[in-house]
Amino acid sequence: MRAVVVGATGYAGQEVVKILARHPEFEIVALTSSRQQQEPVSDIFPYLSRGPSVFVDPKDLSDMEFDWVFSCQGPKQATPYFFEWIERGAKIVDLSADFRFQDIKVYEQAYGSHPAPELLALAKAGYADDPTMDYDNAMRILGNPGCYPTAFYAAVAPLIAQGQSLPLVIVDGKSGVSGAGRAPREHLMMAEMVENVTPYNDPGKHRHTFEMEAVTGQTVVFQPHLMPMARGMELTIYIPNSSLSANSVVELWQDYYDGNAFITVLSPGQKPQTRRVRDTNRIELGVSADERSGTLVLYSALDNLQKGAAGQAVQHVNRWMNWPMELGLE
Ligand SMILES: NC(=O)C1=CN([C@@H]2O[C@H](COP(=O)(O)OP(=O)(O)OC[C@H]3O[C@@H](n4cnc5c(N)ncnc54)[C@H](OP(=O)(O)O)[C@@H]3O)[C@@H](O)[C@H]2O)C=CC1
Ligand SMILES: CC(=O)N[C@@H](CCC(=O)OP(=O)(O)O)C(=O)O
């Protein structure tokens, strides 16, 4: 399969290239960068022994043949090109937020006007670890989820699937700085972020709250924090007024993710660690039940650039193509 990575110089794009380079079914035929067009690919990817030699601008893809586009730009940036790429037969995995919501009104609340509402009918959103996700023939665009919502989904979806109603969920999120992208900004400078932990955004203001609320269908209070590390994220999720025991949550998770090697369910008492999932497509899930206050506490850790972005995108394609889900991701 001939693949193009759009936005290949960004953090998520670089990770997609790394995975595709070792994936047995893919050949990379183009890598795009607007800022670095016509500059050598080897400047960023010295390890690529095959494939394109220079970056091209996305508009220069019109005379090329390809089957898949991994679109790794920010929301709205590459989406106007999707019409042409689809017309020419390509399938698209969009790592931005543009196709994460079926309901355009929810998208507009979080991101403003949609760049291509006509394409929503050809798109589907979902989580690559969702055992019920189906990939039908009409689908041309896959909306890859956000990193925080992926960690959230992994812990909470099995409870929802079993019929639990979660009217209020409180999410304490921590992320490494690569989650903010590669463009330089003062608060991301090493002297600003090392040995420093700070909450950012206010509860109810982060756009990922909408993706999390789509999982529970009810209110989520989400407070993210910036951590002094390059990559990785951990969510501690508080569910008040819960009668579920830690052991029953472990069983629910094990049933829901039966046979899924990407989900590691820890025993009650064990806690996930971001460094154990670093550079992997795995999620570690842990649980404690605070019987004193009747609060269930779930923990979910992943690598924001792998499972939170590139790894999940490739896992989706593996499932879409009926290849083994782990192909290129072990
Ligand atoms: N980072 C993460 O953890 C996650 C990201 N995503 C999503 O993936 C998409 C890409 O995110 P991410 O890779 O983090 O974004 P980046 O900011 O790292 O890269 C996005 C684009 O910005 C341009 N760029 C790269 N470096 C610089 C720079 N130093 N200064 C200015 N522009 C630069 C590049 O485009 P060009 O070369 O064409 O100028 C690049 O493709 C987004 O939609 C994001 O929401 C999703 C989940 C997790
Ligand atoms: C540390 C940090 O800034 N993290 C980013 C994570 C968002 C992300 O990458 O996800 P999207 O695909 O939805 O943009 C943030 O909180 O906005």
Side-chain angles (χ1 to χ4, degrees):
M1 292 278 164
R2 296 160 299 186
V4 171
V5 182
V6 170
T9 64
Y11 285 146
Q14 288 186 35
E15 206 71 12
V16 170
V17 172
K18 199 164 85 185
I19 296 170
L20 294 185
R22 65 177 190 237
H23 193 294
E25 296 289 347
F26 281 109
E27 172 200 359
I28 299 173
V29 294
L31 299 173
T32 84
S33 167
S34 300
R35 288 170 319 126
Q36 288 185 244
Q37 52 183 297
Q38 299 311 318
E39 289 179 21
V41 158
S42 59
D43 285 355
I44 307 266
F45 303 105
Y47 63 84
L48 276 187
S49 52
R50 294 182 294 132
S53 55
V54 293
F55 292 106
V56 294
D57 191 78
K59 68 175 165 7
D60 298 331
L61 295 174
S62 34
D63 50 5
M64 296 192 63
E65 303 281 325
F66 48 87
D67 308 295
W68 287 91
V69 176
F70 291 84
S71 187
C72 306
Q73 293 280 13
K76 309 184 193 201
Q77 292 180 331
T79 311
Y81 294 106
F82 287 10
F83 293 94
E84 184 198 327
W85 298 338
I86 288 172
E87 207 169 280
R88 294 175 50 219
K91 290 187 173 131
I92 300 170
V93 183
D94 185 18
L95 278 75
S96 89
D98 287 350
F99 295 96
R100 290 180 192 163
F101 302 95
Q102 290 295 344
D103 183 347
I104 193 165
K105 290 202 175 62
V106 182
Y107 177 90
E108 285 169 350
Q109 269 182 286
Y111 297 91
S113 63
H114 196 282
E118 308 88 324
L119 292 179
L120 286 169
L122 299 177
K124 197 157 186 174
Y127 295 86
D129 290 309
D130 178 352
T132 67
M133 173 89 191
D134 77 323
Y135 301 81
D136 58 65
N137 290 336
M139 180 179 154
R140 302 304 295 273
I141 304 171
L142 192 133
N144 208 48
C147 43
Y148 285 118
T150 297
F152 181 77
Y153 171 90
V156 167
L159 278 60
I160 303 284
Q162 187 264 352
Q164 291 286 316
S165 172
L166 307 178
L168 175 65
V169 178
I170 299 164
V171 183
D172 179 27
K174 297 144 207 108
S175 172
V177 289
S178 61
R182 198 169 162 227
R185 274 165 290 166
E186 190 173 295
H187 73 287
L188 303 174
M189 288 165 61
M190 183 163 165
E192 302 290 327
M193 48 70 65
V194 163
E195 296 181 42
N196 189 25
V197 172
T198 181
Y200 64 98
N201 282 36
D202 286 319
K205 297 279 164 59
H206 195 286
R207 60 198 187 288
H208 284 178
T209 310
F210 297 97
E211 275 182 82
M212 295 186 199
E213 289 187 344
V215 175
T216 64
Q218 302 191 67
T219 308
V220 171
V221 179
F222 172 47
Q223 177 63 65
H225 298 74
L226 192 63
M227 304 304 283
M229 55 191 195
R231 58 198 283 173
M233 78 176 15
E234 193 274 336
L235 300 188
T236 300
I237 301 166
Y238 300 89
I239 303 178
N241 304 315
S242 173
S243 56
L244 280 176
S245 69
N247 282 326
S248 65
V249 171
V250 164
E251 274 173 34
L252 276 176
W253 283 341
Q254 283 169 340
D255 285 351
Y256 193 78
Y257 295 117
D258 189 26
N260 183 338
F262 292 133
I263 307 285
T264 303
V265 175
L266 303 173
S267 306
Q270 287 186 303
K271 303 286 186 286
Q273 293 188 22
T274 56
R275 69 177 160 185
R276 285 201 300 246
V277 292
R278 193 186 157 101
D279 294 322
T280 80
N281 194 49
R282 283 197 312 112
I283 298 184
E284 282 196 359
L285 296 175
V287 55
S288 292
D290 176 9
E291 285 161 16
R292 199 182 51 88
S293 66
T295 307
L296 186 68
V297 185
L298 312 178
Y299 312 96
S300 180
L302 55 72
D303 182 308
N304 55 300
L305 297 177
Q306 274 269 334
K307 176 64 90 182
Q312 176 159 208
V314 173
Q315 186 183 343
H316 264 309
V317 175
N318 286 344
R319 290 187 64 188
W320 198 346
M321 294 301 293
N322 290 316
W323 299 331
M325 186 166 82
E326 301 82 10
L327 204 62
L329 294 168
E330 287 98 336

